[in-house]
Amino acid sequence: MEELSKQLIPLYWLRMPKTLPATPGMHRWVWDIRYTTPTATRYGYPISAVPHDTPREPEGPLALPGTYTVRLTAGGKALTAPLTIKIDPRVHATSAELATMFAEQSKLAGMVTKGSSASLQVHSARETVGDLGKDSRAVDQGSH
């Protein structure tokens, strides 16, 4: 959440990460039908903001229409149930076009994650080298 405190927009606009409560009883979970968000060095927010529900970008690829299996694991038990995603009737893309779009979104998300992970590793290495340089200068100054 430290990252969010540096944003230039009020926090009440943002969709906060959600976790399913572990308490007994009925709970509701809403899937935004997106796969995992790629790792990025920078995130943005769309101009089409909705209070308390503005997503962080980049977002993960959209799931294709089809049948999925959802699984809930709690108390050492796993429960599964089928879930069907149907195409929005306003969308006139073919299954092949949707599959191509999903493949491209997945490829781009992977590239963003790979590039960002490399950038974060370089940043971490630079910090480590900088810290080692400070330590060695302190040792050199102490021995003179």
Side-chain angles (χ1 to χ4, degrees), residues 4-141:
L4 292 177
S5 66
K6 297 176 186 176
Q7 296 299 320
L8 298 177
I9 60 174
L11 293 179
Y12 66 82
W13 284 105
L14 307 182
R15 177 185 299 161
M16 297 308 234
K18 297 174 184 161
T19 54
L20 196 57
T23 56
M26 184 176 280
H27 300 285
R28 180 178 174 161
W29 181 262
V30 178
W31 179 31
D32 65 359
I33 68 167
R34 291 192 175 273
Y35 281 75
T36 304
T37 300
T39 300
T41 55
R42 226 180 247 160
Y43 294 95
Y45 300 93
I47 192 69
S48 57
V50 176
H52 307 289
D53 200 29
T54 304
R56 192 167 77 155
E57 294 178 337
E59 294 183 280
L62 282 169
L64 291 170
T67 302
Y68 294 80
T69 300
V70 295
R71 181 177 60 220
L72 172 67
T73 304
K77 294 181 183 178
L79 303 170
T80 61
L83 171 76
T84 301
I85 296 177
K86 295 181 180 181
I87 191 164
D88 184 326
R90 298 169 294 179
V91 173
H92 299 290
T94 66
S95 294
E97 291 168 334
L98 291 174
T100 299
M101 183 177 73
F102 177 78
E104 291 301 317
Q105 287 177 340
S106 298
K107 183 178 170 182
L108 287 170
M111 292 168 65
V112 168
T113 293
K114 187 175 180 180
S116 297
S117 295
S119 179
L120 293 169
Q121 287 176 354
V122 167
H123 180 75
S124 178
R126 283 184 178 159
E127 283 183 343
T128 301
V129 169
D131 291 345
L132 290 173
K134 290 177 190 174
D135 291 346
S136 66
R137 284 191 296 276
V139 169
D140 286 346
Q141 290 176 354

